[in-house]
């Protein structure tokens, strides 16, 4: 972990338009200032998936102003935990980092009805991650 008392987590998927955006939003909401959150994509899309924005809005999380970000070596180096979601070998590896790979269905091209179960699974995984880190969810 970093020398800071605040752990940092980076979520990575290919387009940074769906899964990683949802995970970052849930961790930001549930972890609050007790955790530093980043997300990025190995080949970022132009915009966040509208079905993802809608699915999160249904649970009171607004990511309508978020934009996909490119994965950088610096973002990985600055993170204690790197959680990949289908980025494959595009994610750089650094010793001393904790890497997790979450196998999740890709919401790309799907409607909000198909995104809801992915959203709910991500929320449960985020709650589990917070429990592992000893951080009580804010909501």
């Amino acid at each position: 972990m970093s020398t800071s008392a605040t752990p940092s987590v980076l979520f990575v998927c290919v387009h940074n338009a769906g899964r990683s955006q949802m995970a970052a939003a849930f961790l930001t909401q549930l972890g609050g200032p007790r955790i530093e959150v980043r997300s990025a994509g190995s080949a970022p899309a132009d915009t966040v998936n509208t079905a993802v924005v809608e699915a999160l809005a249904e649970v009171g999380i607004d990511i309508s102003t978020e934009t996909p970000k490119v994965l950088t070596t610096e973002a990985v180096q600055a993170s204690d935990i790197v959680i990949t979601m289908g980025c494959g070998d595009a994610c750089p590896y650094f010793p001393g980092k904790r890497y997790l790979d979450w196998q999740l269905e890709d919401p790309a091209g799907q409607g909000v009805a198909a995104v809801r179960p992915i959203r709910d699974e991500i929320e449960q995984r985020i709650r589990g991650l917070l429990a592992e880190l000893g951080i009580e969810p804010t909501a």
Side-chain angles (χ1 to χ4, degrees):
M1 300 295 272
S2 69
T3 55
S4 166
T6 305
S8 58
V9 178
L10 169 64
F11 296 100
V12 183
C13 66
V14 175
H15 300 297
N16 190 224
R19 296 165 289 188
S20 56
Q21 289 282 348
M22 285 191 280
F26 273 118
L27 189 55
T28 297
Q29 178 178 334
L30 298 172
R34 298 163 296 164
I35 195 153
E36 187 177 341
V37 183
R38 298 178 182 85
S39 72
S42 53
D46 293 328
T47 61
V48 174
N49 181 324
T50 56
V52 166
V53 172
E54 185 178 338
L56 283 176
E58 291 176 351
V59 295
I61 300 175
D62 180 10
I63 64 164
S64 61
T65 61
E66 292 296 325
T67 57
K69 293 166 272 316
V70 68
L71 176 64
T72 64
T73 300
E74 293 77 21
V76 177
Q77 289 175 314
S79 301
D80 299 310
I81 302 170
V82 179
I83 300 176
T84 59
M85 303 169 173
C87 79
D89 295 333
C91 191
Y93 177 82
F94 292 97
K97 305 289 176 195
R98 179 177 173 200
Y99 287 85
L100 301 171
D101 185 45
W102 288 359
Q103 297 295 316
L104 296 159
E105 189 175 343
D106 189 348
Q110 301 193 56
V112 71
V115 172
R116 286 182 189 116
I118 303 167
R119 172 200 67 198
D120 296 344
E121 183 176 349
I122 289 172
E123 179 182 6
Q124 289 311 307
R125 289 181 185 227
I126 293 299
R127 288 181 181 279
L129 178 64
L130 286 168
E132 282 180 38
L133 295 172
I135 297 173
E136 189 70 29
T138 58

